[in-house]
Amino acid sequence: MMTLAGMFGVTEAGISQFLKRQKAQDGSTKSQRTGRPRVTDRNDDRNILKTSRTNPRLTAPAIRREVFLNSPSPPSVSTVKRRLNAAGIMGRRPVNKPLISEKNRVARVKWAKEHLNWTRQDWNKIL
């Protein structure tokens, strides 16, 4: 134990407690967790995120309906929101709007046509 304590930079008591805990768990690394068990597993969480990223306009209730369509006990909408928030996807839907207005599009095309045949010297006057 002294050798292990020196290698890992911990006390002998820490090594001893770790070994006792390992022996009590029969060498398994997965210990019993306290608290209420999660309703969704990793695959469910991944499907929630995948659905949200595929169609970012979907709301949490719509994602819940789509992902857990045939589930006998689907998780609550709050659970879906928590999984999205944990992944950094906040509860805001992107706004439907045109990328560029018609007026700006016409002005851009006009400007581009006016400057189409400019030479390098013309641009150097500006830059």
Side-chain angles (χ1 to χ4, degrees):
M1 280 197 235
M2 287 176 57
T3 308
L4 289 174
M7 283 173 51
F8 294 110
V10 295
T11 62
E12 288 181 53
I15 297 291
S16 175
Q17 288 174 356
F18 175 77
L19 292 175
K20 283 180 187 175
R21 202 169 31 243
Q22 286 294 102
K23 188 175 181 182
Q25 295 174 0
D26 298 327
S28 68
T29 57
K30 189 174 184 181
S31 62
Q32 186 66 28
R33 295 178 65 162
T34 61
R36 182 178 174 138
R38 288 173 63 105
V39 177
T40 60
D41 58 5
R42 284 186 180 171
N43 289 334
D44 292 336
D45 296 347
R46 190 171 30 230
N47 287 335
I48 290 170
L49 296 177
K50 181 178 162 188
T51 305
S52 176
R53 288 186 178 127
T54 304
N55 187 355
R57 298 197 191 316
L58 285 179
T59 60
I63 292 171
R64 175 182 178 251
R65 278 192 302 273
E66 189 170 321
V67 173
F68 300 100
L69 186 64
N70 298 323
S71 177
S73 59
S76 68
V77 174
S78 301
T79 300
V80 173
K81 287 180 183 179
R82 277 195 303 273
R83 299 302 181 257
L84 292 171
N85 284 341
I89 301 172
M90 301 305 157
R92 291 168 184 83
R93 290 173 48 194
V95 177
N96 274 331
K97 64 178 186 177
L99 297 177
I100 185 170
S101 70
E102 186 65 26
K103 181 177 107 178
N104 284 347
R105 188 182 67 78
V106 169
R108 281 183 175 194
V109 170
K110 179 183 170 196
W111 185 91
K113 286 181 179 177
E114 289 172 359
H115 297 82
L116 182 65
N117 296 319
W118 272 31
T119 63
R120 188 172 290 273
Q121 287 80 23
D122 294 331
W123 288 111
N124 283 337
K125 291 177 189 174
I126 294 174
L127 300 176

